[in-house]
Amino acid sequence: MSQDNIIGYVDPLITSPGAKPAVKVSCSRRDTFTSQVYRLGAGFNHPDGPPVSHRPVEAIPQQTHQGRPQFSRIGSFARIPSWGGILLERADSVSISFWCQPTLLQGAKHNQFLFSSTDNSQQTGFECFLDQAGVLRLRTGVPNGMQEVILSANLLRYRWYHLLFSMRSSSGTLTLNSKAKARDIGEPGELFEERHSLEQPLRIASHVPLTIGSDSHGCRPSTKPIDSGSFNGKIEGFRIETRSSAGHIDTLLDMDFSLDIPTDKIQDVSGNEHHGELINGPSRAVTGHDWHASQTGWTNASYGYGAIHFHDDDLDDAQWETTFQLDVPKDVLSGCYGILVDDGVSTDFIPFFIRPDPNASRTPSVALIIPTLTYAAYANEHLHDESREVHFPGDPDKKDKYFQTLMKRPDLGISLYDSHNDGSGTIFSSLKRPVLNMRPDYSMWLFDGPREFSADLWFVEFLDRELGPEGYDVITDHDISEQGAPLLKKYRVLLSCSHPEYPTYRMLDAYAAFLGNGGHFMYLGGNGYYWVTSHDPGRPHRIEVRRAEAGCRTFGLPPGNWHHSLSGELGGLWRSRGQPPNKLFGVGSCAMGVGKGAGYGITDEARSKKHLSFIFRGIESDTTIGDFGLVQGAASGDEIDRMDYGLGTPKNAVMIATTKLAGGHSDEYMLFNEETLYPMVNLHGTTSDKIRSDIVYFETPSEGAVFSVGSINWVGALAWKAFDNNIARISSNVLHEFVRRSK
């Protein structure tokens, strides 16, 4: 798969019966392509797994469409559509001032624009940018075109500067006054001034929008790859003033970025109401030039949060043109669906999800929860990219076609696991783009097997076999985050997928209410309910996560940047917020590893309790379970969870089985850092009692129950030998017992 291969996405990703979502496709090799819609089942082809099982949706016939290539313009910026630029015709001079902190001076591979409002057709306006060598340049309109000035100011990475550009139209003079703020107590502040004469009048009046953090004339999208043009760094306090020949000063624009932080709006406080918008989700609620450690979060701060951090690889909305609309039948079942697009040379399976019809006459008692917030967090991760500051070494033989496309399509953006090009950590991820590691046949390069969506389709196949396609609903993280506890009241049995890592507060609150009302929950994964996540229903494609002071993470955000911009809540681990997953589900994350996994040994306590005998029906003689699997060779692997009464596991919880009774994990498994205290010893699988997967069961006072398995790779063992194994038997036993109790 290359940049020419057919790919696409559905917008919105989660839709409803009777809706008409947009399908956006990039097709370069042929003028036309075909589409066919399927209800997805098992999608990953493995010799020891179930066969691939996708069923065409007969109500939506195969269609032929016109194709065109589509590329996104990545990089964030601010855009002010109407800012009074035409008024500069009457001004003798104009001054532009702001604070900035560059975070990538060399290595951007494109010009980085701090501000721009140039009309190429009229050869008027102005713009300022850092070239690829990090040299500051200013370009303005003059009578015979555009003229560029190389400035002498030498900006340093991570240092704050107050820049004041003065342009006098009649005399053609340009002045830059720079004030550099000391970065530490041993560094002095610095003042700098330079003056240039173009020896001809300036034509700086502009009819086009003003952009901050990028150029003003980039198109989105395009039929060919586009350079970003965005600035890497923070900008704060952007202000434009004009002076008449009589010396009268007017403030044309005064942007206060500390206002409306949860939104994409930016406010002009000059009184002229030249308000603007943010494009591609730059980072807000970040520390500014005047931040002090006494201000720990933006929600209660009186100063210090007036900056916006722009990045040249931000992507919030790919903005591809709609290729066709999908007519979703009104009577379609909820579930995981895919559109197979085929240009005759290449294919892509574009996923989307259909939620249950809220007006359906009958609601099943069982629902499978698709972890769409986790899919968003991992969307197009580049942890394999060795050119980035944070990466894992990968085996080239394990890098599939989706890996190859991501390497050739930087316009598809990055994930919450990747640092930006400037080394700063990501806080946003979006689903308004092709997400190539959310495909039914995706193979995760680190494990040489399915992960997240491609693995979770085995749960769909399992439930189709156990209950029938009409015997359960499929709902998503997004649905629960938006609708809360009322949505879950419809059900008596809930099942998680393999990796429900990213819940919002409203989701956890809904789960607590569900269990408090006597619900039954099967947590069939690992590393679940871990990171504090914000999700704005008004922009459902976007999620926010802030990696704070603890947790298994690929980077950490600096102090002062830990509160979410969307919600204002403190980021980091739910455990650090007093809500470890142990409290609701009996187990919580403890370790991870990329080596061979482990099976579980059944405990004597579990065998001795008659009320638990339903779990072991059909495997009464088995002492070890799950010492096999389609991913890492066993049921316990990847990221794993254990019970811990000290972290809130209910006192009546019973350990059904544990990997420590089946040999445990190797030293390729290592304890999470929030689990360690001084002295830092016993951190590996063979030396730490904390590194284990536990299967846990407990009942609630409201006659509900929880069954948790403590491993992402449970699903890989579930599907082993087409679900003919003891992990599948236990899962089936618990499922049917929970369904029986709910009747």
Side-chain angles (χ1 to χ4, degrees):
M1 184 177 268
S2 73
Q3 72 174 26
D4 296 325
N5 281 20
I6 191 168
I7 57 174
Y9 65 104
V10 177
D11 185 23
L13 178 70
I14 304 158
T15 190
S16 302
K20 296 181 181 295
V23 184
K24 301 165 184 277
V25 177
S26 175
C27 176
S28 299
R29 286 199 168 107
R30 299 287 176 87
D31 293 334
T32 62
F33 67 92
T34 61
S35 68
Q36 176 69 62
V37 180
Y38 292 82
R39 188 176 188 272
L40 301 179
F44 189 85
N45 190 17
H46 193 290
D48 290 315
V52 173
S53 177
H54 305 317
R55 294 163 289 283
V57 178
E58 302 296 343
I60 306 177
Q62 185 182 82
Q63 300 177 56
T64 300
H65 313 273
Q66 292 296 121
R68 66 186 293 269
Q70 302 205 64
F71 291 85
S72 307
R73 185 192 184 200
I74 57 173
S76 57
F77 56 95
R79 183 178 184 271
I80 306 169
S82 177
W83 61 280
I86 190 63
L87 299 177
L88 300 185
E89 289 180 345
R90 301 198 299 265
D92 182 60
S93 67
V94 60
S95 65
I96 302 173
S97 62
F98 56 94
W99 285 92
C100 77
Q101 183 191 47
T103 52
L104 184 65
L105 289 166
Q106 292 90 30
K109 300 179 182 179
H110 58 81
N111 293 334
Q112 301 182 64
F113 289 81
L114 285 85
F115 58 84
S116 175
S117 182
T118 57
D119 185 339
N120 288 334
S121 63
Q122 300 295 321
Q123 295 288 286
T124 61
F126 53 84
E127 58 190 13
C128 179
F129 61 93
L130 291 164
D131 66 18
Q132 295 186 40
V135 175
L136 195 63
R137 296 172 181 257
L138 183 68
R139 184 182 293 141
T140 64
V142 293
N144 61 350
M146 300 293 292
Q147 187 162 342
E148 187 174 297
V149 175
I150 299 175
L151 301 172
S152 301
N154 182 29
L155 304 187
L156 300 178
R157 193 179 188 190
Y158 302 131
R159 192 169 193 181
W160 276 104
Y161 297 88
H162 186 266
L163 302 180
L164 171 60
F165 297 87
S166 299
M167 296 176 281
R168 190 169 184 183
S169 302
S170 58
S171 64
T173 57
L174 306 173
T175 304
L176 170 60
N177 292 92
S178 170
K179 179 172 67 175
K181 183 182 177 183
R183 287 171 293 187
D184 54 56
I185 200 169
E187 183 177 55
E190 296 177 357
L191 299 175
F192 177 80
E193 180 180 80
E194 60 180 297
R195 186 182 301 267
H196 301 265
S197 176
L198 302 187
E199 299 180 352
Q200 54 184 321
L202 306 181
R203 300 177 64 208
I204 56 178
S206 175
H207 300 260
V208 302
L210 171 71
T211 55
I212 302 170
S214 188
D215 61 288
S216 57
H217 43 79
C219 57
R220 307 176 69 222
S222 174
T223 58
K224 58 183 180 181
I226 323 165
D227 286 335
S228 172
S230 288
F231 173 63
N232 289 284
K234 298 178 182 179
I235 294 178
E236 178 178 3
F238 195 91
R239 184 181 179 94
I240 299 179
E241 292 181 335
T242 61
R243 180 188 292 268
S244 68
S245 57
H248 181 71
I249 298 176
D250 283 319
T251 300
L252 190 63
L253 189 71
D254 188 4
M255 305 306 298
D256 186 349
F257 294 158
S258 70
L259 303 177
D260 290 334
I261 282 178
T263 75
D264 286 330
K265 300 174 182 178
I266 50 174
Q267 296 293 323
D268 171 25
V269 296
S270 70
N272 296 317
E273 298 188 355
H274 293 147
H275 309 309
E277 62 180 342
L278 296 174
I279 306 298
N280 268 342
S283 300
R284 306 191 76 171
V286 295
T287 54
H289 81 279
D290 57 345
W291 179 77
H292 186 269
S294 62
Q295 310 291 311
T296 56
W298 69 270
T299 55
N300 297 313
S302 56
Y303 62 91
Y305 288 92
I308 293 177
H309 195 155
F310 301 96
H311 307 91
D312 66 358
D313 52 4
D314 281 328
L315 179 63
D316 180 62
D317 185 350
Q319 288 197 341
W320 286 8
E321 293 183 3
T322 297
T323 310
F324 64 97
Q325 281 193 314
L326 189 67
D327 290 319
V328 179
K330 292 183 179 180
D331 59 353
V332 69
L333 293 174
S334 66
C336 304
Y337 288 80
I339 307 170
L340 180 63
V341 291
D342 186 343
D343 65 4
V345 179
S346 59
T347 62
D348 189 24
F349 234 133
I350 306 170
F352 66 103
F353 305 96
I354 299 178
R355 59 173 62 90
D357 182 352
N359 301 313
S361 59
R362 174 186 169 274
T363 298
S365 64
V366 179
L368 175 68
I369 303 166
I370 302 296
T372 47
L373 295 182
T374 294
Y375 299 165
Y378 283 88
N380 293 344
E381 55 84 7
H382 283 67
L383 286 173
H384 50 65
D385 185 352
E386 296 182 8
S387 68
R388 291 182 176 271
E389 187 171 327
V390 177
H391 65 270
F392 285 99
D395 182 348
D397 294 334
K398 297 179 181 179
K399 297 175 181 178
D400 67 3
K401 61 181 182 179
Y402 303 115
F403 175 99
Q404 303 299 336
T405 295
L406 280 177
M407 295 299 288
K408 295 174 181 177
R409 292 286 305 252
D411 66 303
L412 301 183
I414 59 176
S415 77
L416 286 173
Y417 285 79
D418 305 309
S419 57
H420 286 290
N421 287 332
D422 67 355
S424 62
T426 53
I427 64 168
F428 290 131
S429 188
S430 171
L431 292 170
K432 277 183 178 284
R433 53 174 168 155
V435 178
L436 296 187
N437 55 348
M438 187 173 63
R439 292 296 189 263
D441 59 341
Y442 168 71
S443 178
M444 207 282 179
W445 53 275
L446 192 60
F447 299 105
D448 194 22
R451 201 173 193 250
E452 275 94 44
F453 178 62
S454 54
D456 290 340
L457 287 174
W458 282 329
F459 285 126
V460 172
E461 187 72 20
F462 172 72
L463 288 177
D464 280 355
R465 293 174 180 228
E466 296 292 324
L467 303 176
E470 297 183 356
Y472 68 102
D473 275 349
V474 169
I475 59 178
T476 69
D477 283 354
H478 284 75
D479 296 320
I480 302 171
S481 184
E482 292 171 18
Q483 301 178 46
L487 173 62
L488 301 188
K489 284 184 179 180
K490 300 178 181 181
Y491 306 105
R492 303 307 300 157
V493 181
L494 297 177
L495 292 83
S496 83
C497 284
S498 63
H499 198 182
E501 185 177 1
Y502 289 88
T504 63
Y505 179 84
R506 196 174 190 195
M507 290 172 62
L508 294 180
D509 191 55
Y511 294 145
F514 174 80
L515 293 173
N517 290 327
H520 294 72
F521 200 103
M522 297 177 68
Y523 169 28
L524 300 180
N527 187 223
Y529 319 104
Y530 190 69
W531 287 108
V532 176
T533 306
S534 291
H535 165 234
D536 179 3
R539 292 165 289 179
H541 61 283
R542 183 191 301 182
I543 71 167
E544 181 178 12
V545 175
R546 301 235 174 179
R547 317 284 187 187
E549 81 292 350
C552 181
R553 60 205 193 281
T554 52
F555 56 81
L557 296 178
N561 295 273
W562 295 348
H563 283 77
H564 289 209
S565 62
L566 294 181
S567 62
E569 64 187 318
L570 178 65
L573 300 182
W574 280 116
R575 171 173 170 169
S576 300
R577 292 265 302 271
Q579 188 60 59
N582 308 66
K583 286 186 174 182
L584 290 177
F585 308 107
V587 296
S589 295
C590 59
M592 74 163 293
V594 297
K596 190 179 187 311
Y600 298 80
I602 298 173
T603 66
D604 292 338
E605 180 187 15
R607 288 288 196 190
S608 68
K609 294 184 179 295
K610 291 184 178 180
H611 74 286
L612 300 180
S613 60
F614 72 91
I615 296 174
F616 306 111
R617 291 190 196 114
I619 59 163
E620 288 84 359
S621 62
D622 291 9
T623 58
T624 299
I625 59 173
D627 53 346
F628 49 81
L630 303 179
V631 186
Q632 292 180 271
S636 173
D638 197 341
E639 292 175 295
I640 60 175
D641 303 0
R642 72 165 194 280
M643 68 185 299
D644 191 323
Y645 297 115
L647 289 173
T649 298
K651 297 298 186 288
N652 66 329
V654 178
M655 182 188 290
I656 304 299
T658 178
T659 53
K660 287 298 184 184
L661 292 179
H665 293 85
S666 72
D667 284 345
E668 291 188 79
Y669 284 75
M670 193 169 183
L671 206 61
F672 281 178
N673 57 26
E674 67 268 21
E675 292 282 320
T676 63
L677 293 171
Y678 182 82
M680 294 183 182
V681 296
N682 300 329
L683 304 179
H684 295 88
T686 61
T687 58
S688 175
D689 290 335
K690 292 182 176 181
I691 297 178
R692 64 179 196 269
S693 280
D694 296 331
I695 301 176
V696 170
Y697 174 86
F698 64 91
E699 296 176 349
T700 65
S702 53
E703 299 184 346
V706 173
F707 175 80
S708 297
V709 303
S711 169
I712 286 178
N713 286 348
W714 180 270
V715 68
L718 176 81
W720 176 260
K721 300 299 182 183
F723 305 100
D724 184 13
N725 60 76
N726 52 28
I727 292 294
R729 177 56 65 91
I730 286 177
S731 302
S732 176
N733 289 343
V734 174
L735 172 64
H736 288 287
E737 176 65 17
F738 282 5
V739 170
R740 182 192 68 78
R741 295 180 189 179
S742 68
K743 292 180 179 179

